[in-house]
Amino acid sequence: KTASKLAASSAKTATKAAVSTAKTATSIFSSDEHAYDELKKIEKTRREILDRCHLPFYRILTFWKGTVLSSLANDPLMWIMVLIYVMVRIAARFSIPDFVHTLGGADIGVIGAFLSFFLVFYVNHSNKRFDILYNTSTSCQGRIFDMGALCKAYLPRENALRLLRYMNAAHIAAYVGFSDTYNYQNYFVEENKLQQLLTDKEVERMQRIGMDSGGTCTRELITWCIHEVRKAEKQGYIDSRLATQMRELILRLRAKIGTIYDYHSQPVPFFYVHFVCLLSVMYLPLFSLQAGLSAGTGDEAYWATDIISGLIVILQGVYVIGLRVISDKLSDPYGDDYEDIGIMTLVDSGWLMSRRMIEGEIPEHLEDLNAQLEEELVRKETHIGDAFMPRFDEDDLEK
């Protein structure tokens, strides 16, 4: 009996462990999340799409992925307005009385103009928001490059490597803290394996804080960077003036990350987004109905008119829905859309280039630099002329 009870208890324990493991795996990689390899494929596609912008217009029109066409094909409102038009045209040939086509004479152009104004304003606002966030993200990378240059010139290798590790880790943790696409498990863990940004003990500290739960990890990593500068100053590697400059670079990185979090916490006002969506839902079906009735009924129904009016309906849907979709994508540029900012490119290049700066060579290590060498280079350079001498003499101007 005792053995059977132990066996049953062991079986229950194993079952609970299996269920717990399955739940953990499900929570790590749910249907809404991407594995690291998928993120890399998305990033690669983003870079390919960016290169298409320089192609001729007839080549640009041949693409599907990364265009508004893929979004329009999946938008229910687009299919609803086309279906309304088709149903009206079918009924116009068989069951609608001839006088009904006069109902299509109602002018909804005022509504269309009003909606166009709001859509253009919406797109402009979203595009401005996208530009600010892109410039902010690249500025984060730039502050790491600035620190890399100072570390190479002034700090011992050990201190320089540690400081850049923490800055690059803070850069990644910033995006993990708020993004639904890039989380701790599918992004930071994999990047840390490749870049070795944090030690096992440091990773344990990040796990206790919770990198997916906001910017706390990023702020702690920033304090680690400040502490490293303080240590270097106390050890006599840098003076107080250079230490102040380094602290300013670190705090500028924190400020840029804070700007990203500020924009993320305050998206485009829902009241405005709802108003645009409401106008679109009311206007486009009404436009389809009007276009279908105005195309003629009974003996006045012609295939040529049906086709032309149908193309106008589709064009109107492309315009209204397309502008709304573009605005939605531009307003949130840190997701998994092909139009979003290439986070992996910024993070990887930030780490790679800052490491290369540390591994770079100093001119004194390449050759003996002295006054004689500098004067020899001056003799070989193009003649600069005397003071207040024109850049070109009169003979050159005449030629």
Side-chain angles (χ1 to χ4, degrees):
K1 290 182 179 179
T2 303
S4 61
K5 288 182 179 179
L6 290 174
S9 177
S10 300
K12 289 181 179 179
T13 303
T15 303
K16 290 181 179 179
V19 172
S20 176
T21 303
K23 289 182 178 179
T24 303
T26 303
S27 64
I28 291 176
F29 294 110
S30 64
S31 58
D32 296 332
E33 295 178 351
H34 299 285
Y36 183 71
D37 291 339
E38 294 176 349
L39 292 177
K40 290 197 298 184
K41 290 180 181 179
I42 293 174
E43 188 68 19
K44 182 180 179 181
T45 305
R46 282 193 187 122
R47 308 311 301 178
E48 294 174 352
I49 291 176
L50 288 176
D51 294 335
R52 298 174 186 171
C53 297
H54 307 290
L55 297 175
F57 81 95
Y58 57 86
R59 289 281 307 280
I60 291 177
L61 293 177
T62 61
F63 293 101
W64 176 269
K65 184 181 294 185
T67 67
V68 72
L69 296 177
S70 57
S71 299
L72 291 173
N74 296 320
D75 195 290
L77 184 57
M78 186 71 184
W79 294 104
I80 289 174
M81 62 181 300
V82 172
L83 180 62
I84 290 174
Y85 175 79
V86 172
M87 292 176 63
V88 170
R89 292 314 303 153
I90 293 175
R93 291 179 175 274
F94 300 102
S95 58
I96 294 182
D98 293 342
F99 72 89
V100 176
H101 80 276
T102 58
L103 300 177
D107 186 12
I108 61 172
V110 177
I111 302 176
F114 185 67
L115 176 59
S116 298
F117 169 77
F118 275 92
L119 282 173
V120 171
F121 185 79
Y122 184 26
V123 171
N124 182 62
H125 178 78
S126 300
N127 186 62
K128 183 179 179 180
R129 179 186 177 91
F130 181 92
D131 289 340
I132 292 174
L133 289 174
Y134 174 77
N135 292 330
T136 303
S137 295
T138 55
S139 295
C140 293
Q141 183 190 62
R143 301 298 73 75
I144 296 175
F145 292 160
D146 294 342
M147 184 61 76
L150 292 177
C151 288
K152 176 63 178 178
Y154 292 99
L155 292 182
R157 179 178 173 82
E158 174 191 349
N159 299 71
L161 290 173
R162 187 180 302 114
L163 180 54
L164 287 179
R165 278 200 302 112
Y166 293 157
M167 289 192 72
N168 280 288
H171 191 199
I172 298 180
Y175 298 114
V176 173
F178 71 87
S179 176
D180 296 329
T181 302
Y182 306 93
N183 58 47
Y184 174 79
Q185 192 66 38
N186 74 347
Y187 187 47
F188 183 84
V189 171
E190 299 298 330
E191 289 290 338
N192 194 50
K193 291 178 182 178
L194 298 174
Q195 303 176 10
Q196 294 297 305
L197 299 175
L198 299 178
T199 65
D200 293 340
K201 295 295 184 181
E202 292 166 348
V203 168
E204 290 178 5
R205 172 58 184 167
M206 296 295 106
Q207 289 175 339
R208 289 197 298 271
I209 299 174
M211 192 174 290
D212 289 320
S213 58
T216 305
C217 286
T218 301
R219 286 186 285 271
E220 177 146 330
L221 288 166
I222 291 294
T223 61
W224 292 4
C225 296
I226 297 291
H227 182 68
E228 285 300 316
V229 173
R230 177 177 175 274
K231 283 171 52 180
E233 184 181 6
K234 289 184 65 176
Q235 293 170 353
Y237 297 130
I238 55 177
D239 57 20
S240 60
R241 188 173 181 178
L242 182 58
T244 300
Q245 185 177 359
M246 286 184 168
R247 283 191 289 266
E248 287 179 354
L249 288 177
I250 297 171
L251 294 178
R252 286 178 188 173
L253 173 63
R254 189 220 60 80
K256 294 299 181 180
I257 293 173
T259 300
I260 296 175
Y261 273 78
D262 291 341
Y263 272 87
H264 181 263
S265 63
Q266 179 56 64
V268 179
F270 175 75
F271 187 90
Y272 191 88
V273 176
H274 178 269
F275 185 59
V276 171
C277 293
L278 181 63
L279 283 179
S280 301
V281 169
M282 296 179 65
Y283 169 73
L284 289 178
L286 185 60
F287 180 86
S288 299
L289 181 62
Q290 183 201 38
L293 294 175
S294 300
T297 59
D299 295 336
E300 297 182 359
Y302 303 100
W303 287 110
T305 307
D306 292 345
I307 294 174
I308 294 175
S309 298
L311 291 176
I312 294 175
V313 169
I314 294 175
L315 179 61
Q316 188 74 355
V318 170
Y319 174 74
V320 174
I321 299 175
L323 288 180
R324 177 177 56 80
V325 169
I326 291 173
S327 300
D328 293 341
K329 291 182 178 294
L330 291 179
S331 62
D332 183 19
Y334 294 114
D336 56 359
D337 293 327
Y338 295 129
E339 301 77 23
D340 290 334
I341 297 173
I343 298 302
M344 297 186 74
T345 298
L346 293 176
V347 168
D348 291 346
S349 61
W351 168 77
L352 180 62
M353 297 306 169
S354 62
R355 284 288 292 110
R356 286 180 177 176
M357 294 172 76
I358 298 298
E359 302 298 334
E361 292 287 348
I362 300 299
E364 286 84 353
H365 299 164
L366 302 178
E367 60 179 320
D368 182 22
L369 300 178
N370 51 52
Q372 181 180 356
L373 175 61
E374 299 299 331
E375 292 300 330
E376 181 180 353
L377 294 175
V378 168
R379 288 193 297 270
K380 293 180 180 180
E381 70 181 14
T382 302
H383 182 56
I384 62 175
D386 298 327
F388 305 107
M389 186 178 191
R391 184 176 178 182
F392 302 100
D393 55 29
E394 295 181 358
D395 294 337
D396 292 334
L397 293 176
E398 290 177 358
K399 293 179 181 179

